[in-house]
Each structure stands twice: as structure tokens, then as C-alpha cells.
């Protein structure tokens, strides 16, 4: 029976177009999955989308779509992009699918029944204008907001919590006993020292938005982000359903690998194994957390426009150059940088000069000297032969070790060492000199045969990485299918070969200046589109829903001198709103005023009293004045 291999990417947020950062993870998994397939494993590759949460709800509203319409559109775009990158996934899970939600509900209820999830109170300091929660230690002097300097309010909100603390010791022991559980080593060390500082229980539900999986036993709560998202790795295998054969086969099979970026290391190295321990599911996976692709001037980010998208690069240069760049330029345990100069240099030097040229030269010589045909020599004629043949088998060994560790960048380095050695072999044996001498035909044949054998090995090792050009290599050399397999990685398998008589360069050399400029333009369009930091786009402003509301009643806050608690009719309902205006208005003065209310502010308790919105007011050092309208009616929109 074949050994099984199950590999997963993170499920991506539908927060915008995916860029080369997300593409890197997906291409890396695709490459490793193809490699395992080449090795004869029974493989399964999962990717997908993480489609719940308040942000999705808000963006969909802005676009005038329902949340499900919005995520359907993004899922379609994402699948198209993976098609462009020739990603061969087996399953695409979406957290809005029934098969997934059923598992999340089940997992949550089980953890609740067992007491691993409990209902508690989330406590934090809330800055209303910033819509952010802070712990006491994050606050500035006088309990003010560290971002805007304004006063914060102590807020308590009901929330479910996952008992992380209970599993702290077990998790540390597990990591110690499974030294390869988290790689690279440096990430493992980060995780261990984080756990050793002590784990706080994790808030796993929200009551302030709707777009998510409702808690079955208490539907006022929506399961919050991570329990929902992490469960995808098993819900996609049918865990807990009437047909869990994929779960039995792959999760409990030979190898399971989660590949993630370093940004979500903790969730996968701490929360997920703890969830599995609590559910009594084996922690069968290994975790590889890679670094980030950066821009020359910092982090790649959709919101600042410093971002590179894969499609225009593929359209202009083809798929393999992008796959090559992505896989090569991100080191195993560090970050990588995308620059137009490096991208073009990799195409010109590595792909066109070193690799493409080797293939092209070899075929041209076989055509010129032997009418397209070479055969297996009976013996070796040069000392250089042994060096080349030894390096081929050494390369296969190193490549295997590196690919098994998911160190694809190093595996590429191994292949290029062989490519350079093979180029050097041509310089050493000088076929053009032997060609002048009719008595040296056998020697000349042996040189060209050795070049073809080396290239065949290179093609097989490259096939999970450069998917189109490795095929072109096999086509141009006319390598039969049975000599393109992992098992055929043995020197001398070719007996006779007739190469194409019409070779075409697989990577034409590019004009450095023109192409660098072309890519720079792609990037600077993004920068120009970008507003300066302190400006917001209309789409940001439109997120705030403002309406006219009439104050029906106003009372002092029971626990805070500067706060008033008002009942305000906003047309859709009567809301209770707490505001810090008691030093400037009496309760009687406020009644009957038509004011402007922020309608879609998250409800929050301010000093123990629930507030469902905010009244707009202007202020200077002396005064606070609420904004009033006269002609407009209750419920009218303000924009
Ligand atoms: O975090 N360089 O989704 P997400 C390299 N939904 N990789 C990058 C990158 C960069 N500059 N930027 C992003 C989420 N990535 C959650 C995951 S999983 C149960 C839930 C990659 O859309 C990297 O793999 O923010 C990172 O972990 C992932 O995209 C984050 O994707």
C-alpha cells in the first residue's frame, strides 16, 4: 500500500485580492505535494477560504452585497488565481460550507460539555472612537487610549473561553518529545518561550456580530475566528460525519503537514494542538512556519499598496519564472525580498543562461555532430565523467533530504550546483575540438550522452518546481515517460535517444532595463493609487452608518459622574446610548433633541451599562456640543 501524505495551506481571508505572499504558501505546498506524488505517495492537498467574521460582513455591506454573495465572488476569484498558478489541490474548503459548520458546532459543544470551554466575561478597556480593546498594562497614563490619547472605559462582555492553561504542561511535553513537530528550530523556540510565560484562556465567541457559526446551545454567541478556522483541516476530511474515511486515511495516515506563515504560528502551534488534545484526536501533523516576502521598503501589505500580484508577472513572463523566484528567494527560516532587479536577474542568469542554455547547447551539438542521435557508451573516456556522475547521485540525495524538510530553496540550490557542474563539463571536455577529428566519434558521443543523462536527472528533480519547462525539457530531448519517473533516477537508463531537430530556447534572455522598468511601473501604479497615511478612502467613511435619532429620555449614569444614559429613537429601534456629556448638558435639556447617531458601533458596556451607539458631538477645550438637526426626520440617513 502507498504511504499517505496530507498537506494544507492556511485558509485565506476574503479581505481582498491575494498577492505573491499568499501565492508563496500555496505554490510551496503545491511543489511539495507534487514531489511526494513523484515519490509515489498517495497525496492529498487542501486549501480554502476563511469566510466568517465582522470584517466580511462590513465589506459586503459596503459593496451592497450579502456576505455570502461577497464570499462566493472572492472564492471564485481565488480559484481562478490558483488555476493560473497551476495549483493541483484536491479540495477547496470554505468555512461557510455546511460540511464545515456542522463540525465547528459539534466541536464547540463537545468542548463546552467537557468543561474545556466555559462562559466567562471578557474584560478590557474600550476606546470608543478607535473601536479597540486594551488591557490595563497597554494603557497610557490616566487610563487613556495608547492610540489616540482619549479616555477609555472599562468594558465587560460575555464570552466563551477555551481553557488553554489546563493543557500548558501537556503541550510543552509534547513539543519536547516530538522535536520535529515545529520547524524551523527558531520558530519552535519562539513557541516554547511563549508557552513558558504562561497561557491565558482564549476568548472564542462574540456577541457583537452575526456572520459566523452560531453556538448551538447559546445562539446569541458566534464562534470567534480560530476554533472555526482551525477545524477546517479535519472538517475537509469528513471528521465527525457519516463518512470519515478520508479522515481515517489521511489524518491517521503516514504524514500530515500544515504550512503557515510566521504570522499565524502561535495559533497552529498552541491553540490547534490543544484543541486536538481536548477532543482526543491525535496530533498527527507537523508544522512548518515560513517567513515573509517583503518589499524593499518594508512589509508587503494590501492596505498600503506595497504589494505584488502574480497575474501580471505570469502574463508577461510565464508561470515558471514566478514559481522559481518565489521558491528560491525565500530562505528556509528567514524573510525574502521582492525586487524587479532580482526577478529579472533570476530569469536571465539562472533560467536563461545556466539552465536554458545548457539544454539548448546540448541539443544543438547533438544535431550538428550526430544527426540528433546519441547512444549509451560502453565505457567512460574522461576523468570528468566520474565527477559528473557522482555529483548527480549526490544531488539526488541532497535534494531528497531538503525537499523532505520543505526546504525547497535549498533543493533548488542543489539542482543549480549540478547545472553549473554540467556546464563546466562541456568546457572541460571541449566537444567542438573532438568534432574536428573523425577518430574521436565515440568520445564525442559519450560526452553528449552524459549531458543528456544529466539533463534528464535535472528535469525529473525540477518537475515539481518548474512544471512547464521540465515538460519542455523532456519533449525536446524526447525522453520517454518511463524515464521521467523517480525510480528512473539512475545513471545510464537511456539506451538510445533522438532529440528534436528544432530546439527552441525555453527561457529567452530579457532586456534588463526594459523589463525592470516594466515591473517597477506595475508597482508604482499601486503607490500612486495610494493615499497618504492620514487620509481615508470614501470606502472607509462609508463604513460608519449615521442616522438622525431623537432623544426620548436621559438619565445620569449610576456609576460615573461624567456619563449620561439616554434612550434614543433611531427609527429602527429605541437604543440606549451612554455618552460623556453630563458636564455640558442637563438631562432635561437633551430630551427632544434630534441628534446624529452612529448606528453600527459595536454594543459595549460602559461602566456596567450597555451602550448601543454613539452621539456625534464637537469639542474644544471648554465645550462639548452635540450636533443637532431640525428639518430631518428620525431615521434619516446622514452622510
Ligand atoms: O491568517 N509573505 O489568513 P490570511 C509570505 N485566515 N506569506 C504571506 C505573506 C507574505 N508577505 N502574506 C501572507 C489568515 N502570507 C487566516 C488563516 S488558517 C486556519 C487561518 C501567507 O489571508 C502566509 O501563509 O491573512 C500567512 O500565514 C497567510 O498568507 C495569511 O493569510
Amino acid at each position: 500500500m502507498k504511504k499517505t501524505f496530507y498537506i494544507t495551506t492556511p485558509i485565506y481571508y476574503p479581505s481582498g485580492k491575494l498577492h505573491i505572499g499568499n501565492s508563496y504558501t500555496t505554490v510551496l505546498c503545491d511543489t511539495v505535494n507534487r514531489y511526494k506524488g513523484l515519490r509515489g505517495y498517495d497525496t492529498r492537498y487542501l486549501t480554502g477560504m476563511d469566510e466568517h467574521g465582522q470584517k466580511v460582513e462590513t465589506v459586503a455591506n459596503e459593496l451592497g452585497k450579502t456576505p455570502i454573495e461577497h464570499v462566493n465572488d472572492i472564492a471564485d476569484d481565488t480559484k481562478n488565481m490558483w488555476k493560473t498558478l497551476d495549483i493541483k489541490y484536491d479540495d477547496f474548503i470554505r468555512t461557510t460550507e455546511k460540511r464545515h459548520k456542522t463540525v465547528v458546532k459539534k466541536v464547540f459543544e463537545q468542548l463546552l460539555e467537557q468543561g474545556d470551554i466555559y462562559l466567562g466575561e471578557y474584560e478590557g478597556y474600550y476606546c470608543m472612537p478607535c473601536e479597540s480593546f486594551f488591557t490595563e498594562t497597554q494603557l497610557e497614563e490616566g487610563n487613556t487610549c495608547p492610540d489616540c490619547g482619549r479616555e477609555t472605559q472599562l468594558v465587560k462582555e460575555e464570552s466563551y473561553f477555551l481553557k488553554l492553561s489546563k493543557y500548558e504542561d501537556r503541550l510543552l511535553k509534547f513539543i519536547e518529545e516530538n522535536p520535529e513537530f515545529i520547524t524551523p528550530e527558531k520558530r519552535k523556540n519562539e513557541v516554547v518561550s511563549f508557552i513558558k510565560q504562561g497561557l491565558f484562556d482564549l476568548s472564542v465567541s462574540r456577541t457583537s456580530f452575526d456572520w459566523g457559526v452560531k453556538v448551538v446551545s447559546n445562539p446569541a454567541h458566534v464562534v470567534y475566528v480560530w476554533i472555526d478556522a482551525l477545524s477546517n483541516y479535519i472538517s475537509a476530511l469528513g471528521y465527525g460525519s457519516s463518512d470519515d474515511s478520508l479522515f481515517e486515511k489521511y489524518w491517521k495516515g503516514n504524514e500530515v503537514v500544515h504550512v503557515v506563515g510566521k504570522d499565524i504560528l502561535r495559533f497552529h502551534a498552541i491553540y490547534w494542538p490543544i484543541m486536538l488534545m481536548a477532543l482526543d484526536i491525535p496530533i498527527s501533523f507537523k508544522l512548518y512556519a515560513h517567513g515573509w516576502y517583503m518589499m524593499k521598503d518594508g512589509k508587503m501589505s494590501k492596505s498600503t499598496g506595497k504589494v505584488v500580484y502574480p497575474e501580471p508577472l505570469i502574463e508577461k513572463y510565464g508561470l515558471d519564472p514566478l514559481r522559481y523566484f518565489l521558491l528560491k528567494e525565500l530562505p528556509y527560516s528567514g524573510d525574502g525580498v521582492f525586487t524587479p532587479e532580482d526577478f529579472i536577474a533570476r530569469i536571465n542568469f539562472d533560467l536563461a543562461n545556466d539552465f536554458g542554455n545548457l539544454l539548448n547547447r546540448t541539443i544543438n551539438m547533438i544535431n550538428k555532430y550526430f544527426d540528433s542521435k546519441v547512444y549509451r557508451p560502453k565505457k567512460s573516456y574522461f576523468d570528468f565523467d566520474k565527477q559528473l556522475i557522482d555529483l548527480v547521485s549526490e544531488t539526488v540525495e541532497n535534494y531528497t533530504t531538503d525537499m523532505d524538510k520543505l526546504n525547497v530553496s535549498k533543493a533548488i540550490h542543489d539542482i543549480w550546483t549540478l547545472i553549473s557542474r554540467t556546464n563546466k563539463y562541456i568546457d572541460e571536455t571541449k566537444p567542438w575540438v573532438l568534432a574536428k577529428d573523425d577518430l574521436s566519434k565515440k568520445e564525442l558521443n559519450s560526452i553528449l550522452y552524459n549531458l543528456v543523462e544529466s539533463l534528464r536527472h535535472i528535469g525529473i528533480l525540477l518537475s515539481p518546481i518548474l512544471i512547464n519547462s521540465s515538460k519542455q525539457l523532456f519533449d525536446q530531448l524526447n525522453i520517454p515517460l518511463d524515464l521521467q519517473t523517480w525510480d528512473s533516477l539512475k545513471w545510464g537508463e537511456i539506451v538510445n535517444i533522438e532529440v528534436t531537430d528544432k530546439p527552441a530556447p525555453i527561457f529567452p534572455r530579457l532586456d534588463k532595463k526594459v523589463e525592470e522598468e516594466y515591473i517597477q511601473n506595475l508597482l508604482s501604479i499601486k503607490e500612486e493609487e495610494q493615499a497618504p497615511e492620514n487620509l481615508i478612502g470614501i470606502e472607509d467613511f462609508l463604513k460608519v452608518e449615521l442616522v438622525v435619532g431623537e432623544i426620548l429620555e436621559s438619565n445620569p449614569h449610576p456609576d460615573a459622574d461624567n456619563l449620561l444614559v439616554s434612550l434614543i429613537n433611531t427609527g429602527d429601534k429605541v437604543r440606549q446610548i451612554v455618552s460623556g456629556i453630563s458636564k455640558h448638558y442637563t438631562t432635561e435639556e437633551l430630551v427632544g433633541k434630534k441628534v446624529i447617531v452612529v448606528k453600527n458601533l459595536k454594543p459595549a458596556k460602559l461602566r456596567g451599562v450597555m451602550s448601543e451607539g454613539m452621539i456625534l458631538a464637537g469639542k474644544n477645550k471648554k465645550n462639548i456640543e452635540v450636533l443637532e438637526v431640525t428639518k430631518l426626520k428620525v431615521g434619516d440617513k446622514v452622510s
Side-chain angles (χ1 to χ4, degrees):
M1 246 202 355
K2 283 181 170 184
K3 280 189 173 176
T4 61
F5 179 72
Y6 177 45
I7 190 163
T8 66
T9 69
I11 45 171
Y12 301 108
Y13 289 129
S15 52
K17 244 176 98 53
L18 299 182
H19 49 70
I20 62 160
N22 319 102
S23 306
Y24 169 72
T25 318
T26 318
V27 168
L28 176 69
C29 290
D30 182 65
T31 300
V32 174
N33 193 51
R34 285 172 189 260
Y35 158 73
K36 287 287 183 177
L38 183 68
R39 298 279 314 268
Y41 281 71
D42 174 343
T43 63
R44 190 162 185 86
Y45 176 9
L46 173 73
T47 186
M49 305 289 296
D50 189 358
E51 299 183 328
H52 289 131
Q54 186 165 27
K55 205 165 166 195
V56 175
E57 201 174 63
T58 315
V59 174
N61 272 342
E62 279 163 24
L63 297 170
K65 295 180 188 173
T66 60
I68 193 69
E69 283 168 349
H70 173 55
V71 292
N72 282 346
D73 289 347
I74 303 251
D76 285 346
D77 290 350
T78 307
K79 285 181 183 170
N80 281 334
M81 178 150 135
W82 298 152
K83 211 168 170 186
T84 310
L85 282 154
D86 208 349
I87 304 296
K88 292 262 178 293
Y89 56 78
D90 296 287
D91 194 0
F92 190 97
I93 181 96
R94 299 176 53 190
T95 52
T96 48
E97 286 175 83
K98 188 161 173 255
R99 60 170 174 159
H100 174 74
K101 292 194 282 189
T102 312
V103 173
V104 175
K105 286 179 190 163
K106 206 171 159 161
V107 162
F108 199 98
E109 287 305 305
Q110 185 184 333
L111 294 175
L112 195 59
E113 268 165 36
Q114 283 172 203
D116 283 309
I117 285 181
Y118 62 91
L119 189 58
E121 220 173 32
Y122 177 82
E123 191 175 297
Y125 288 83
Y126 186 59
C127 172
M128 222 187 312
C130 295
E131 275 195 59
S132 299
F133 289 94
F134 300 99
T135 61
E136 197 167 357
T137 50
Q138 291 171 313
L139 296 178
E140 298 292 325
E141 216 171 290
N143 287 357
T144 54
C145 170
D147 291 341
C148 72
R150 280 179 270 214
E151 212 176 301
T152 59
Q153 312 289 340
L154 182 62
V155 173
K156 289 183 185 172
E157 202 184 284
E158 195 181 73
S159 169
Y160 285 99
F161 286 85
L162 177 64
K163 272 189 192 163
L164 297 183
S165 42
K166 173 175 159 190
Y167 291 93
E168 211 173 282
D169 293 338
R170 257 178 80 182
L171 181 60
L172 275 175
K173 188 158 173 274
F174 179 84
I175 296 175
E176 208 172 285
E177 286 169 358
N178 296 276
E180 284 177 4
F181 171 50
I182 304 165
T183 52
E185 183 82 12
K186 127 175 172 196
R187 305 282 175 220
K188 178 173 95 177
N189 297 340
E190 280 169 34
V191 170
V192 168
S193 72
F194 184 80
I195 303 173
K196 283 187 173 160
Q197 285 167 24
L199 296 178
F200 292 105
D201 292 349
L202 177 73
S203 163
V204 290
S205 77
R206 284 289 181 275
T207 50
S208 48
F209 64 91
D210 251 358
W211 182 241
V213 182
K214 296 224 156 55
V215 174
V216 177
S217 53
N218 186 356
H221 286 253
V222 161
V223 178
Y224 185 54
V225 196
W226 287 99
I227 287 203
D228 180 5
L230 291 163
S231 309
N232 90 87
Y233 300 127
I234 53 173
S235 68
L237 294 176
Y239 166 77
S241 75
S242 56
D243 179 5
D244 64 355
S245 52
L246 290 175
F247 176 76
E248 288 296 321
K249 178 175 179 184
Y250 290 103
W251 192 263
K252 298 191 179 166
N254 302 94
E255 276 184 63
V256 181
V257 181
H258 294 321
V259 178
V260 299
K262 63 181 183 181
D263 50 324
I264 52 173
L265 168 67
R266 236 176 249 175
F267 304 102
H268 287 80
I270 300 176
Y271 306 163
W272 181 224
I274 287 181
M275 273 174 70
L276 292 170
M277 275 177 193
L279 292 166
D280 204 18
I281 297 175
I283 306 171
S284 51
F285 70 92
K286 291 201 169 62
L287 182 65
Y288 169 58
H290 62 72
W292 274 338
Y293 261 109
M294 315 285 276
M295 302 301 282
K296 223 187 305 185
D297 46 0
K299 203 177 155 195
M300 193 172 296
S301 141
K302 286 175 238 178
S303 60
T304 59
K306 280 192 248 157
V307 65
V308 185
Y309 296 108
E311 291 96 331
L313 294 174
I314 295 173
E315 202 173 298
K316 180 102 171 105
Y317 305 104
L319 174 58
D320 282 357
L322 181 68
R323 284 181 71 109
Y324 179 78
F325 182 91
L326 290 179
L327 294 168
K328 161 105 200 306
E329 292 289 293
L330 198 76
Y332 186 60
S333 56
D335 292 331
V337 182
F338 179 92
T339 68
E341 295 77 19
D342 288 341
F343 186 71
I344 298 302
R346 295 285 66 80
I347 297 180
N348 275 346
F349 296 130
D350 304 10
L351 298 178
N353 266 14
D354 298 345
F355 173 46
N357 207 21
L358 172 63
L359 176 67
N360 209 246
R361 273 169 96 188
T362 303
I363 297 177
N364 282 334
M365 287 192 286
I366 298 175
N367 282 328
K368 190 166 164 194
Y369 304 140
F370 290 113
D371 198 18
S372 318
K373 295 183 197 91
V374 285
Y375 60 91
R376 184 163 58 198
K378 294 238 158 51
K379 61 172 209 167
S380 169
Y381 294 90
F382 304 95
D383 288 346
F384 307 119
D385 296 355
K386 186 171 175 339
Q387 292 172 21
L388 182 67
I389 297 168
D390 285 351
L391 186 67
V392 165
S393 62
E394 204 182 297
T395 304
V396 174
E397 238 171 73
N398 292 342
Y399 170 94
T400 310
T401 313
D402 294 330
M403 290 295 270
D404 284 341
K405 279 200 235 154
L406 276 70
N407 193 346
V408 179
S409 171
K410 173 76 183 1
I412 289 178
H413 182 267
D414 301 332
I415 301 172
W416 253 258
T417 305
L418 177 59
I419 290 176
S420 301
R421 182 68 192 84
T422 313
N423 272 317
K424 194 170 156 212
Y425 177 80
I426 300 179
D427 299 338
E428 290 165 341
T429 53
K430 300 189 176 50
W432 54 91
V433 174
L434 292 177
K436 290 182 186 145
D437 177 3
D438 263 358
L439 294 175
S440 303
K441 285 249 177 237
K442 281 188 182 161
E443 287 90 328
L444 184 57
N445 168 76
S446 83
I447 295 170
L448 298 177
Y449 176 90
N450 289 344
L451 292 177
V452 173
E453 258 306 48
S454 179
L455 276 165
R456 182 178 72 87
H457 282 77
I458 290 166
I460 297 173
L461 301 184
L462 276 179
S463 61
I465 299 167
L466 301 184
I467 39 198
N468 296 329
S469 24
S470 56
K471 275 196 204 108
Q472 285 174 300
L473 175 149
F474 293 136
D475 284 350
Q476 295 199 14
L477 292 174
N478 270 324
I479 306 285
L481 281 178
D482 62 331
L483 296 186
Q484 300 177 18
T485 62
W486 185 262
D487 286 342
S488 74
L489 282 172
K490 268 177 251 135
W491 190 265
E493 290 288 293
I494 294 177
V495 181
N496 296 300
I497 209 98
E498 179 170 351
V499 302
T500 179
D501 56 359
K502 293 185 194 65
I506 51 176
F507 295 105
R509 253 188 89 87
L510 302 173
D511 182 317
K512 174 172 149 51
K513 207 161 157 258
V514 172
E515 302 305 333
E516 284 175 6
E517 234 173 76
Y518 177 83
I519 301 178
Q520 195 54 54
N521 279 342
L522 287 178
L523 302 180
S524 46
I525 294 169
K526 299 282 164 349
E527 277 159 26
E528 281 156 21
E529 279 170 359
Q530 197 42 46
E533 296 249 304
N534 60 341
L535 298 184
I536 59 167
I538 185 73
E539 70 284 2
D540 295 318
F541 180 71
L542 289 178
K543 284 183 198 162
V544 186
E545 285 179 42
L546 300 169
V547 289
V548 174
E550 183 178 352
I551 303 183
L552 305 177
E553 197 182 315
S554 189
N555 296 299
H557 189 289
D559 270 341
D561 286 351
N562 63 335
L563 300 179
L564 291 181
V565 183
S566 309
L567 293 180
I568 302 181
N569 179 10
T570 48
D572 55 336
K573 65 175 186 178
V574 174
R575 314 163 173 258
Q576 174 171 289
I577 295 184
V578 180
S579 359
I581 51 174
S582 71
K583 304 241 162 68
H584 305 272
Y585 290 94
T586 63
T587 50
E588 295 78 19
E589 253 179 304
L590 286 171
V591 174
K593 277 193 195 303
K594 281 195 280 180
V595 293
I596 299 170
V597 174
V598 181
K599 195 175 134 186
N600 60 337
L601 199 63
K602 273 189 242 165
K605 273 188 191 164
L606 302 184
R607 296 278 176 97
V609 175
M610 186 55 87
S611 181
E612 301 174 273
M614 188 166 95
I615 303 173
L616 289 196
K619 72 173 168 186
N620 59 24
K621 277 190 184 148
K622 281 195 192 138
N623 289 308
I624 290 186
E625 190 175 1
V626 297
L627 302 184
E628 280 181 79
V629 294
T630 49
K631 286 191 201 145
L632 294 174
K633 292 195 298 290
V634 164
D636 282 348
K637 280 193 179 160
V638 177
S639 57

